[in-house]
Amino acid sequence: MSPETAKSLETKNRLLEGALRTLTEQGIAKTSARTVAAAAGVNQALVFYHFGSVDELLAAACRYGAEQAVARYRARLAAVTSLSELLAVGRAIHEEERAGGHVALLGQLLAGAQTHAALGPATAGGLQLWIDEIEQVLIRVLAATPFGEFTDPAGLARAVAAAFVGIELYEGVDATGAASALDALEQLGVLVAALEELGPVAQRAVRHHLRRTARR
């Protein structure tokens, strides 16, 4: 990589980080070429040079932020061996993301998507990265349970992601209620874990019952 290319990449990354920091700290309404450039420590003309517009910068920052976040947790998700463990890991990730200000960032991106055309697809794309990771975990862990042949991992992954997004946003207005929702998900995980620990005969009975129910 030439020095010029390396410098250009460094500037783009500084702008991406600056955009994410500005969204988190000042909100979508105060995010502009000037505020992002100030956060990045560069001339605001570089926003347009590298990204063409503020909206395109924000869309790129959304994708960049999601990629960085998913990469942080990929190994942890890959080590999950049960549905109850997935819920526990999801709660731990939620706490870490909230502490890092990323829950506030998600709220700003979702709000901005209503008025910034480029942010809608970018935010959806960022969420899809999470969904893809969760789906791989579900495919792996459901295969060892009586539910494996009766569930849609792709749809369930979207439901899990949507549930956590909703809880994250809900937490801003009712932290106690959000905590109760997370507790309820963990209780569901305990019930699923109990089924996972059934012996072979009991698991066959569960599968038989599910097949009969599915045929109705």
Side-chain angles (χ1 to χ4, degrees), residues 42-204:
V42 300
N43 189 297
Q44 73 180 65
L46 292 173
V47 169
F48 305 99
Y49 176 78
H50 286 289
F51 296 97
S53 69
V54 174
D55 277 6
E56 288 302 321
L57 167 58
L58 295 180
C62 177
R63 290 188 292 268
Y64 173 81
E67 289 166 359
Q68 296 291 310
V70 170
R72 283 197 300 274
Y73 301 113
R74 183 168 285 124
R76 198 183 307 184
L77 289 168
V80 168
T81 59
S82 69
L83 289 174
S84 54
E85 189 179 344
L86 174 59
L87 290 171
V89 169
R91 185 162 194 169
I93 290 174
H94 166 77
E95 296 294 339
E96 293 172 25
E97 290 294 284
R98 181 182 62 176
H102 301 120
V103 171
L105 172 62
L106 176 61
Q108 290 301 318
L109 290 171
L110 290 171
Q114 307 303 311
T115 54
H116 296 67
L119 272 186
T123 303
L127 291 172
Q128 186 64 49
L129 295 177
W130 284 105
I131 291 167
D132 290 342
E133 292 293 325
I134 296 168
E135 182 180 353
Q136 293 307 307
V137 176
L138 290 172
I139 290 172
R140 186 175 69 253
V141 302
L142 286 171
T145 75
F147 311 111
E149 63 185 279
F150 305 101
T151 55
D152 170 20
L156 188 54
R158 290 184 180 279
V160 170
F164 273 92
V165 168
I167 289 171
E168 287 174 353
L169 297 178
Y170 181 42
E171 189 172 45
V173 296
D174 183 0
T176 302
S180 295
L182 288 169
D183 288 341
L185 286 176
E186 287 193 357
Q187 290 166 7
L188 179 61
V190 170
L191 294 175
V192 171
L195 288 172
E196 291 172 348
E197 292 172 3
L198 293 175
V201 174
Q203 289 210 11
R204 282 198 297 273

